[in-house]
């Protein structure tokens, strides 16, 4: 168990270092998130629909699409460097490979969210300081759900043609339950309801996360071992 | 050191390997030749533990090779077409990462020593793409040997090397054979590694057409090779 | 023709026979529904499409999709290409059945609810199933190596199967309703015997059609795999 975590950290560290050198994923995803927010702003009529009603949907659509973009690189970096065999050769449990990628992807997406959320508050002129704690918790749990499935799928699509198009096609249906739950949780929080009222939604998100992380851990060896 | 029995790799009607046996003791060097599509890479990847055989087993250092067979994996080093190095990391960073994967003590020290052994100590802070092909090969070798594997697998290592680099590689491999290492070298031209070899095998359509101790004469061998592999 | 090729041919023939039987069965059920089954009181003649819609939904959700997922899981254990071929055939047929559900659903809904699409829980679930299956097919088409294709399809199938209950629950949550069990019967609690009989015949015909189409699809894929293996030599 200790070795598993140690290896996951070594692997995630490698991915983070690579990403910081090239900055392709995080920058594209962050720019994309900003652009989506801007487009949303111009695509609505502020007199017709109250901002606060539209806000949770806008936030979560932006996060969902930006997450897919951030995870796109995923295993592509291994293919480009023709380095994947090196990981499989080594005495590394396949679960550690998954966890390492999961941690790295999670870090990337959270970083993008950390950029998107302030922009969101800025562009939409919202006061959600009271809801910040609950919102951050929701974002972390929903992100874990997105990344749990996105990580294993990115290992699969890297070997297909049109890898970058394939990931959203496969991943989006899986993102819908956490998305629904995230929006359902955000709406009361934005309206000032206390955290205790949305605990059920958060619990459901946590269940989704546990189920799919476990499933992905079980199935990941079948994806990478030939 | 390595013992493979009845290695088979098939899917439906397609057979890449069929009942391949192979045994090597420390110090032996097996040369694997054969026409394209004969299954040479498949055999090497199966021995490396990158492919799971449909039937048959691979034992490395007495341990059965399986995804979770960590001791067996620690004993294997691979030099393949792929460099297994990350372009955006320096040579040192690449090797330290590898050392950590193999849970080696003093990763930085080991990495510097491995680079020095290949004459790359001054390039430790450079990225792989700034190196010549020959140097990239040496960096890949440093990576392959860092955990001191008892079994070294090489997939067409002389491809793309000029005469000087080729000689250097031959000398390097020769210096490693005397000891406890066993090697399997897949190559297209027997002449490239003839002097190193102790055994030679010719794989045709997934099976051994010839396999045994290296014959004395290269020309005689070429003759027999043409008989079994061509036509 | 080699022995294997004639095997493929006989599978295809069997598939055609069963499919024809299934189609005849479906036609017979439609005749039964239109002329020999009483008209439903509140919904009127439009309700008759139920005898096509529900069997298609039942077969897709409880037979075709689980068959794909479980065949895939068995493949991961046994590595038998026939299991993958079956899973792929079942997935193709599931896609067709889902399409039938998605087309008959709005046709049924429009005269009764006044809208083509109401995000009804069961229809929405079928919509998701449709996209999961579409993703499955798209992925298979993008992988050249048959071993990888089989493994990845199995993984996707298993994950899709686990996703289904989550979709079901979250869609109902989204609508603010309690999850309804996905039953054979529509919203009314009980069905008069003639309607129940027609429905059961409908389900029987749909199952035969499913088996026929899967056999046919399997046979076609088998023939193609043999051709590819022969070309590779």
């Amino acid at each position: 168990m200790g070795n598993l975590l140690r290896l996951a950290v070594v692997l995630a560290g490698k991915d983070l270092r690579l990403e910081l050198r090239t900055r392709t994923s995080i920058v594209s995803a962050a720019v994309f998130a900003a652009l989506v927010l801007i487009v949303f702003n111009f695509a609505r009529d502020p007199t017709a629909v109250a901002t606060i009603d539209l806000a949770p949907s806008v936030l979560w659509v932006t996060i969902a699409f930006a997450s897919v973009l951030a995870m796109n690189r995923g295993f592509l970096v291994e293919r480009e460097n023709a380095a994947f065999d090196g990981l499989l050769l080594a005495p590394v449990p396949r679960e550690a490979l998954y966890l390492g990628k999961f941690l790295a992807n999670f870090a990337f997406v959270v970083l993008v969210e950390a950029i998107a959320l302030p922009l969101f508050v800025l562009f939409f002129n919202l006061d959600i300081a009271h809801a910040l704690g609950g919102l951050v918790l929701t974002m972390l749990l929903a992100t874990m759900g997105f990344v749990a499935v996105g990580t294993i799928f990115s290992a699969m699509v890297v070997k297909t043609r049109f890898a970058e198009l394939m990931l959203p096609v496969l991943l989006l249906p899986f993102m819908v339950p956490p998305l629904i739950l995230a929006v359902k949780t955000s709406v009361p929080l934005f309206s000032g309801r206390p955290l205790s009222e949305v605990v059920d939604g958060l619990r459901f998100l946590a269940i989704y996360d546990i189920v799919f992380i476990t499933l992905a851990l079980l199935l990941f060896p079948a994806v990478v071992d030939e | 050191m390595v013992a493979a029995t009845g290695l088979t790799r098939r899917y439906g009607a397609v057979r890449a390997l069929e009942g391949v046996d192979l045994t090597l003791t420390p110090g032996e060097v097996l040369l694997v030749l054969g026409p394209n599509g004969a299954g040479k890479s498949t055999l090497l990847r199966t021995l490396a533990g990158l492919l799971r055989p449909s039937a048959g087993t691979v034992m490395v250092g007495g341990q059965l090779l399986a995804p979770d067979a960590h001791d067996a994996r620690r004993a294997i080093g691979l030099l393949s077409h792929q460099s297994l190095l990350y372009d955006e990391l320096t040579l040192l960073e690449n090797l330290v990462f590898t050392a950590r994967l193999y849970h080696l003590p003093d990763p930085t020290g080991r990495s510097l020593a491995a680079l020095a052994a290949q004459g790359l100590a001054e390039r430790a802070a450079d990225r792989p793409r700034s190196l010549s092909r020959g140097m990239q090969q040496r960096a890949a070798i440093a990576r392959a040997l860092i955990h001191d594997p008892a079994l070294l697998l090489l997939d067409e290592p002389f491809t793309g090397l000029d005469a000087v680099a080729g000689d250097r590689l031959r000398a390097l491999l020769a210096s490693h054979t005397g000891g406890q290492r066993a090697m399997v070298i897949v190559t297209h031209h027997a002449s490239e590694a003839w002097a190193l070899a102790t055994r030679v095998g010719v794989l045709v359509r997934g099976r051994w057409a010839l396999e045994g101790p290296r014959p004395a004469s290269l020309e005689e061998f070429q003759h027999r090779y043409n008989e079994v592999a061509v036509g | 023709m080699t022995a294997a090729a004639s095997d493929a041919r006989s599978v295809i023939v069997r598939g055609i026979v069963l499919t024809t039987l299934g189609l005849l069965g479906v036609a017979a059920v439609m005749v039964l529904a239109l002329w020999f089954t009483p008209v439903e009181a509140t919904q009127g003649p439009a309700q008759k499409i139920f005898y096509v819609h529900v069997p298609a939904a039942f077969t897709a959700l409880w037979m075709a999709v689980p068959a794909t997922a479980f065949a895939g899981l068995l493949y991961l254990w046994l590595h038998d290409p026939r299991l993958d071929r079956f899973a792929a055939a079942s997935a193709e047929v599931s896609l067709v059945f889902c399409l039938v559900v998605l087309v008959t659903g709005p046709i049924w809904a429009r005269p009764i609810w006044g809208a083509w699409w109401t995000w009804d829980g069961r229809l929405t679930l079928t919509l998701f199933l449709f996209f999961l299956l579409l993703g499955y097919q798209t992925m298979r088409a993008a992988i050249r190596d048959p071993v990888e294709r089989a493994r990845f399809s199995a993984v996707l199938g298993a994950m899709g199967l686990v996703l289904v209950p989550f979709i079901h629950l979250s869609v109902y949550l989204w609508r603010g309703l309690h999850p309804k069990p996905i039953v054979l019967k529509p919203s009314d609690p009980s069905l008069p015997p003639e309607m129940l009989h027609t429905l059961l015949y409908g389900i029987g015909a749909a199952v035969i059609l499913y088996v026929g189409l899967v056999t046919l699809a399997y046979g076609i894929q088998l023939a193609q795999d043999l051709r590819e293996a022969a070309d590779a030599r």
Side-chain angles (χ1 to χ4, degrees), chain A residues 159 161 166 184 222-223 225, chain C residues 128 138 142 144 148 151 173:
Chain A
K159 299 204 184 155
R161 309 199 301 251
M166 195 98 286
K184 271 249 165 275
V223 172
D225 282 324
Chain C
F128 271 96
T138 314
R144 208 170 267 129
E148 243 165 38
R151 275 197 350 256
L173 205 68

Side-chain angles (χ1 to χ4, degrees), chain C residues 35-93:
Chain C
W35 280 287
F36 297 99
T37 313
V39 178
E40 211 266 352
T42 49
Q43 297 181 33
Q47 182 266 355
K48 303 254 177 190
I49 206 162
F50 152 97
Y51 299 108
V52 171
H53 178 89
V54 173
F58 173 82
T59 312
L61 187 61
W62 295 106
M63 279 193 77
V65 169
T68 303
F70 286 116
L73 282 171
L74 271 177
Y75 173 84
L76 286 180
W77 180 29
L78 299 170
H79 303 285
D80 188 339
R82 291 175 297 181
L83 286 166
D84 175 59
R85 219 174 281 131
F86 173 77
S90 186
E92 277 174 36
V93 177

Side-chain angles (χ1 to χ4, degrees), chain A residues 149 152-153 155-156 159-162 166 169-170 173-174 176-177 180-181 184 204 207-208 211-212 215 219 222-226, chain C residues 73 76 128 131-132 135-136 138-139 141-144 148 151-152 155-156 158-160 162-163 166-167 169-171 173-174 176:
Chain A
V149 182
I152 186 169
F153 281 178
M156 283 160 52
K159 299 204 184 155
T160 67
R161 309 199 301 251
F162 325 122
M166 195 98 286
V169 167
L170 295 180
F174 288 85
V176 169
I180 291 176
L181 291 164
K184 271 249 165 275
F204 208 163
I207 292 174
Y208 181 93
V211 168
F212 276 93
L215 192 60
L219 293 171
V223 172
V224 295
D225 282 324
E226 296 186 32
Chain C
L73 282 171
L76 286 180
F128 271 96
F131 279 105
L132 278 172
Y136 183 95
T138 314
M139 186 191 69
I143 304 177
R144 208 170 267 129
E148 243 165 38
R151 275 197 350 256
F152 290 1
V155 169
L156 187 59
M159 296 197 69
V162 173
L163 185 68
F166 279 96
I167 299 265
L169 287 169
S170 50
V171 165
L173 205 68
W174 173 70

Side-chain angles (χ1 to χ4, degrees), chain C residues 115-126:
Chain C
W116 292 107
W117 187 265
T118 58
W119 292 106
D120 160 70
R122 289 193 297 263
L123 266 185
T124 308
L125 178 63
T126 312

Side-chain angles (χ1 to χ4, degrees), chain A residues 22-86:
Chain A
T22 59
R23 287 180 296 276
T24 36
S25 289
I26 294 180
V27 170
S28 355
V31 169
F32 177 78
L35 285 170
V36 169
L37 287 171
I38 293 172
V39 166
F40 262 124
N41 185 58
F42 288 117
R44 69 185 177 103
D45 178 357
T47 57
V49 184
T51 312
I52 199 79
D53 290 333
L54 210 52
S57 309
V58 170
L59 178 65
W60 283 105
V61 169
T62 307
I63 288 178
F65 287 124
S67 306
V68 177
L69 208 64
M71 285 190 279
N72 237 340
R73 293 282 303 164
F75 285 90
L76 218 58
V77 77
E78 309 295 341
R79 179 162 87 166
E80 286 172 358
N81 287 283
F84 206 37
D85 276 351

Side-chain angles (χ1 to χ4, degrees), chain C residues 172-183:
Chain C
Y172 275 98
L173 205 68
W174 173 70
R175 306 193 80 211
L177 302 169
H178 288 296
K180 278 190 280 209
I182 303 183
V183 288

Side-chain angles (χ1 to χ4, degrees), chain B residues 28-70:
Chain B
E28 287 198 283
V29 177
L30 169 69
L31 225 56
V32 175
L33 299 124
N36 282 329
K40 305 192 295 293
S41 282
T42 308
L43 175 61
L44 208 68
R45 290 175 69 81
T46 310
L47 291 174
L50 292 172
L51 286 179
R52 188 193 44 83
S54 319
T57 57
V58 180
M59 307 275 290
V60 177
Q63 198 191 19
L64 184 66
L65 190 58
D68 55 356
H70 296 321

